[in-house]
Every structure is written in C-alpha cells, then in structure tokens.
Amino acid sequence: MNVLGINAYHGNSSAAILCDGQLITAVEEERFNRVKYAAGFPQNAVRYCLEEAGLTIRDVEHVAIPRNPWARMGTKLFYALRMPRFALDRSKVLTRFSGIHQDLAQACHVDPESVQAEQHRVEHHVAHLASAFFVSPFDQAAVLSTDGLGDFASTMWASGRGNRLEVHGAVSFPHSLGLYYTALSQYLGFWKFGDEYKVMGLAAYGEPAYQDEFRQIVKPNNGHGFRLGLNYFCHHQTGPQMSWPESDKTPVLGQLFSPYLEQRLGKRRPPAELIAKKHKDIAASLQSVLEEAYFRLLNSLYQQTHHKAVCLAGGVAFNCVANGQVFDRTPFSEVYVQPAAGDAGLAVGAAYYVYHQILRHPRGFAMDHAYWGPQFTPEAIRQALNDSATNGSSGFSRQELPNEELVRLTAQHIVAGKIVGWFQGRAEWGPRALGNRSILVDPRRAEMKEVLNRRIKHREAFRPFAPSILEEATAEYFELSHPSPFMNLAYSVKLEKRAKIPAPTHVDGTGRLQTVSRSTNPLYWALIKEFQKLTGVPVLLNTSFNDNEPIVLQPQEAIDCFLRTKMDVLVIGNHLIEKRNQT
Ligand SMILES: [Fe+2]
C-alpha cells in the first residue's frame, strides 16, 4: 500500500511517501529549487520520493492532499460576500487544486491517464493534527494544531487513540494566534515570511511592559479558545492577503495590522530603524500573551482528554520558548513535536491520516529521528570534490579518513576555534539542521556567536544559536531533561553551567536544545562525545549549513557554501578539507 502526501500551492511545499505504513522519505521542495519556503507544486520532491521508494506514480494507490476547499464553507461564503477580492483569490486556489492531477502527471513525465491513484482531501488542521499524533510514540495523546490560517481555521484540537483522531474543537478565521504573531512582527519591522521566530528571539531582551494592552489584542473566549480584538487588525476586512506568486518565489503576506494598533502603540518600526527598548518590550509582551492563550488552550485540552502526553503542530508549535514551558504550566508530562511541525509536515500528516483514519490500518511507525531526506554516495561526494576548486589547489588540504579518525580530527578543529561545516548522511526533514547538514563550533567560546555572524551567517545579532547535547547529559546542563531531539523545545540552562556554554545560551538563560541520541545519529553523537573527551563539555553549537538560503542539500552546495564563506573546515562524508591561510 503506497500513499503519497503532497503539500502543494502553499508555503513550505513538500512531499512524503509511505509504503505499508512506514515513512520512506519526506522532503521540502525548497531544498531542491533553492527558494526558501517555496510554494507551488513540489515536483522535485515528488520525483525524489518515488525514486527513493523505488516506485513510479503508477504504483501509488492513494494521493493525500492537505487541503479541503469544502471545509468551513459557511464561514468562507460569509466572508467571500463581504470581500470580493478574497472571493476571487479563493476561486483561483480552487482552480489550481482542480489541476493537481495534471501537475502530478507532468512532474512524473506521464500522461494524466496514467495517474490512477485515488485522491483524498484532508482539511489543513486535521492534517496538522495527524502529522503530530500518528508519527508520535504515544498510543494516546491530546493533540493541538495552531497556526496562521489553513482551510479557514487557525486552531484545532483533538484526542488521539491508536489509529483514530477525534476532533474536539476549532477556532475559525479571522481569529488566529499565528496571524496575531505575524501582525505584531510586521509592526516591529519584520515583514518576511517566517520572520516570527526572529521576534521570538528578540522577546527575551525585553520586559512584557505592554501586557495589559496585548490582553485586549488576544482575549479568552469563554472557554472556547480565544478571540482577537479585531480593531487591531485588518485581515478580517481586506482578506488574508497571502499570495504565492506564479514564479513560485517565497510566499508574500500583506499587512495584517490596522491603524488602530499604531494609535495604541505608536508608529510602526521601519525595518532599517534601530531596535529600541520599546520594541524589545513589545516583543516580550507579544510572546507573553501568546503563551497565556496557548496555555489556556492546552489546559482546557487536558481537562477534556486527561491524556498525560500532548502532540503539537502548526507554525506556532515552532515556538520553542512556549513549548519548553509545557511541563511547568500544564499537567502534561510528555510532549512530541515532529521536526516539520509547520506546513511542510502536512504532506506526512495527510498521508498518515489517509492510511490510518480513512483506510483504518493499524499504527506501526514512530518518527524518532529527522533524517528522511536525500543522501549521496561516497562516489558522488568524491566526484563533487574532484570537480571543485579545492581539487589540487595549494589553498586547501584534503584527507579521506575512517570514521574514528574523522571524528577525532574534527573535534580537535572545533576545540581550536575553527568553524566546521558537517555534511553527512540523509538530509533533515524540517527547518532545523540536526547534525547532518550543520555548521558546528565550540560552545565554550562566547565570541563564536559574533564570529559566526560576521564570517558566515549574517544574522541579526540578537538571534540565539542552539546547542546540541548528548542525550544522556541533558540533566547535567539543563533544568529539564525530557528529550528534545528536533530542537523545538527551549529549556533553562542550569545557572552553574551558563558560563561553560555561553555561545548557545540565550540572554534569558535558555537554550533551544537538540538532545542527540547514540541510536539515531551515531556519528554525530560520537563527534560530541569526542569533544567532551577533550573539553569535559558534552555540547556543540549547531547551526544550519547555509548562508541566507535553504539548508544545503547536495554535496556541491555544501562545497560552494564552504568556498564562498569564511568557513575553516568542511567535513563531507569521510573527507576533511581545510582552508590553508584562513584569516
Ligand atoms: Fe498550517
């Protein structure tokens, strides 16, 4: 039984394939077409999924699409009548989805008649819920999906038992915690798609001085989720102006906040303006009131389900600061957030929803690692190196080493303060580099944050970098030790350890940690272990292998990034390449 999941014509387009209930591969289109958050039809991702599974499109029995144009039709019609432009946008979306069969055939280079798979439409948030629960290790769990907007809902909650999901409630347009966060991020001068996580990082520098005002922006709704103070917004009057241009460039979002917000908080911050204390306090207030609403939802969900575990999905589930507080602010004792908690994960969620909920197959898979993307053979890596400017150049030293020696020398370079690009095995699923497409440095050196930004990453100085820690050492360094394998929970670093790992410890004393298990990534685990042998510290600073682009996927992209930035060392497969005379 082969099920292909496709998130298409939407940000973070992606594909995933299941064979007899086992996930074979899952990958975002952006990794192939090199357009961050790419929308459009994920033709490269679909082709890769089929190739990796050893299938053709003729072998696929079911195609799962996380979009149901008929969901919430009453609300859609109500707003369509009030907003003609919005109605037009809706009709364009419907037209695109009706052509998905042709796009699939075109991507697979076959006639549309050859695509015999049954198509299933799964509502956006139902697919999010499925993406969180059906791949979790839990037989029973509460499940919450929270994002900007999808199929006209922004939030949905459910109870998961075995191969069933039972939806208990939802919050519909125009009320949305995701749009709230995006609107205030825009007000603070962060307009790009996906910028909300920057504002989350900024929040740690401020005090929630505007909390009372923000409690008018997001309000409780008599035990049924939350409501937005709509006078602060304009999306309910103009329509949610999210566009995915025909050229499939990065998604674009129109202004969401109203003039009333500026009357209350003052003029918006232009993107080039210096970030003042006021902006930091607004970010802190934004985060604080998001957390209040999030924990009201979660506590209410606990009261409804009494499950001890909770699974989280949707863009808001990337709020690692909130996720890390679940243990303190709710009765839940276990949390699972799959690595692609945002819209890319819909491809996996829709596929599993079809497999379990519709076709009623039993559970038999848990996603305990994130390495579901493409990998490259030693020959392909050697060929890419031979074709590169590093080959035969006196500016580089190149060695091919067995694993043990590779790990030993790499750890020595990190201890010596070098910036190391680390490219191994299958690419990560989701937006975080988790030790297969990573840039690694010494976490003990406080200056590495500035050095990384100056030489490679060019990120805003206020944004934190993340620590990877040996799973078994988590309790030694952090106040909590619940596993965080996908870097989507932030915990407080123990007071006495903050000076030991200053580079990935944020200004508020937290770290968005990745707990690294020997069983799921033995080579990365061995590298951190070797670093611990040399320094006593079982932690590396881990940031994604890229420079203002999607994370590198192919060997050639890693080599190009190494060559055009001031990275010192590239470890790719079993090759270690060092730049000579790097300044
Ligand atoms: Fe979503």
Side-chain angles (χ1 to χ4, degrees), residues 484-507:
S484 173
F486 307 132
M487 217 181 245
N488 43 32
L489 300 164
Y491 299 157
S492 281
V493 180
K494 286 192 165 171
L495 267 178
E496 68 274 20
K497 297 292 186 187
R498 290 180 188 178
K500 286 208 181 279
I501 52 166
T505 299
H506 200 21
V507 64

Side-chain angles (χ1 to χ4, degrees), residues 430-453:
R432 306 278 169 257
L434 297 168
N436 279 8
R437 301 287 188 279
S438 291
I439 293 173
L440 306 171
V441 299
D442 187 344
R444 302 170 306 156
R445 296 169 178 263
E447 75 278 10
M448 287 318 285
K449 203 176 143 178
E450 184 273 324
V451 171
L452 264 177
N453 270 333

Side-chain angles (χ1 to χ4, degrees), residues 89 310 327 456:
D89 285 350
V310 64
F327 308 101
I456 298 178

Side-chain angles (χ1 to χ4, degrees), residues 10 124-125 128 145-150 314-315 341-343 346:
H10 196 78
H124 184 100
H125 278 277
H128 269 317
S145 168
T146 322
D147 71 3
L149 196 63
D343 285 347
L346 293 168

